Amino acid sequence: MLELIGKSVSKGIAIGKIAFYSNNNQNVPQYEIEDPEKELERYEKAMTLAKAHLQTLYDEACRRVSKKESAIFRTHIMILEDSKFVDMVRHCITVKKWNTEFAVHSTASQLAEIFRQLEDDYLRQRYSDILDAANTLLEIMRPKARAYRNSRTEPVIMAASELLPSETLRFKKEMLLGFVTNNGSKNSHTAILARMMELPAVTHITESLAEFDGRIAVLDGQKGKLLIDPDNNTLALYKAQKSRCQREQQNLKRQLGLPCVTKNGRPVRLSAVLSDLEDIAAAENNEAQGIGLFRSEYAFINRKQPPSEEEQLEVYKTVIKPFHNTFTTICTANLSAGKGIGYLDLPQENNPAMGYKGIRVSLSNTELLKTQLSAIYRASAYGKVRIVLPMVNSVDEVEYVKRLTKEVKAALRLKGIACDSTVPLGVLIETPAAAVIADDLAKATDFLMIDTNSLTQTTLAMDRENPKLEYFYEPYHKAVLRLIRDVCRVNKPVSICGELACDTYMTPLLLALGAEELAVVPSKLLAVKAVIRETDTDTDTKLLSKLSTR
C-alpha cells in the first residue's frame, strides 16, 4: 500500500478505482498558415461553438449546484469576448501567421501569466479562468485532445494534474466518487464545486497521478490522503468509517421536528445564511428559523447596470415569503472592486478585502442605497424583515443610514405604498474597530451581528483565501474569541454567522457567551441543532477557559 499526503479541500471518503484525466491542450502544435482570412473564419466558428458550449455548461451547473457557483461559465464567455483577448488572437493569426490553436494558447498563456504575477490574491487566482476559457476553444478545435474515457461503466475517483471548472462539470455526478489533483486550492472553483456536489476532494499531491490510473484507492477527504492499493484491513477500516459517516447523516435527520433548545431549556434561534436564491429549499427542508443573513449583492453582480427597485423587490419577496413568520435579515449590498461591478467606478485595489467595500461604497452611492432600502421596506409588507449594514466602523455611518431610511419611508408613505415602518436596523461586526465600540453601536441600532469570517481576517491581518497563510490562519485565536465575547456583552440581541457559527466544536462556547442566534449555511443546520440540544449553557463552560479573564 502506498500512502500519498495532500490537502483536503472537501470532506468525505471515496473507495474505488482511479481514472486519470489528462488535458492535452498544453501540447498545442505551432505552424505557419498560408491563408489568414480562412484561419480567422475557423477562429470565429470555434468562438461561436465555444460560447454555446459554455452556456450549456452554465445551464447544467445551475441544475447541479447553484447560480453563484455556475456564474464562472458566464465569466468564461466574457473572457472570450474581451477585446484584449480577441485582438491578441487576431494579431497572432493575421500578423504572425500562427494557426488558431497556437494563437489562442499563446494569448491565454500570456494573459494568465500577467494575472498570476498580481499581488492581489483574488485577482491572481483568476489566471485559471483565462486558461479554462481558452481550453474550451481548444477542445472545440481539437476534440481528440480529451483523454478521459467517458465510456467507463463504474464510478471512479477522478485524478488529474489540475481540474478546471468546465472539466469538473463535464463528468456525470453518478460516475464520480471524488477528486484528487496535484494542483489547486481550498477556494478554487473545482474545490467549491466538489463541496457543492458533496464529493471528497484532495489536492497538493506531489507524486505523478498518471501512473495510478485504473488502480484501487481510498480517497480520505477527512485527512487529505490518497491510499493506493490499500490492504484488506485498511479497506475494512475505511468502509466502516464511510458507513459510520452515512449513519451520522441519517441520524441528523432525526433532529427534524424537534425544538431548537438547549438541554437546560434555553431557546436558540438557528437560522440560515443565503448567498443566492438556490438554497431556499435546503433552508426550508432543514427547518431554518428564518433567514439569518441574506447577502443581497447576489442581485448586483454580473450585470451591466444596477438592479431596479422592482427587480430587487422580487428577489427579496422570494426570500421572505417562505419564512414570513420569522425574520429575514437582509444585508445591504457588500460591493467591492473584486466582485465585477462594472457600472460603478470601483478602482482595483491591492487588498479589496479591507478596502473600498460595504457601507463605504453605499455611502458614496446614496441613490443606489436608497433604491435598495426602498425595495427592502416594500418587501417588509410580505413578512418580517431586518436590515444589517456591512463593514460599519462608526456610529456616524449608522446615523447617516438612519436618516436615509426616514427619507425612504416618507417617500413610500406619499405614494401610498405599504411597508413596516419599524424594520429593525443592525450592523455587521467585521473589524476590531467595530467590536471595540460595540457598546456605542448597540445604542444606535436594534441588534448586532458578528461575521466571524471577516472579523478573524481583519483581526489577524490575514487574507483567508491566500493559500500561503492557511497554516497561520487561526479562527480560534484568543484575540478573536475575546472580541466576540465583548460584543456579546452589550445590551442588545447578538447574532453570529460565518465559519465559527457553523463549527459544532464552537457551538457551546458561542451559546455560553450569550449569542441569541446562530446563522449557518443550510447544510449545517441539523448538525448545529444537534449540538445545541446537547448543550447545557448553565454548566457547560469548559471552552471559556480559552478566553481567560482580564
Side-chain angles (χ1 to χ4, degrees), residues 374-402:
S374 184
I376 294 173
Y377 273 101
R378 289 175 62 186
S380 69
Y382 298 88
K384 296 181 179 180
V385 177
R386 300 193 304 181
I387 299 172
V388 68
L389 308 175
M391 208 65 178
V392 167
N393 276 330
S394 76
V395 174
D396 288 343
E397 293 167 335
V398 177
E399 294 297 340
Y400 189 90
V401 174
K402 289 168 75 173

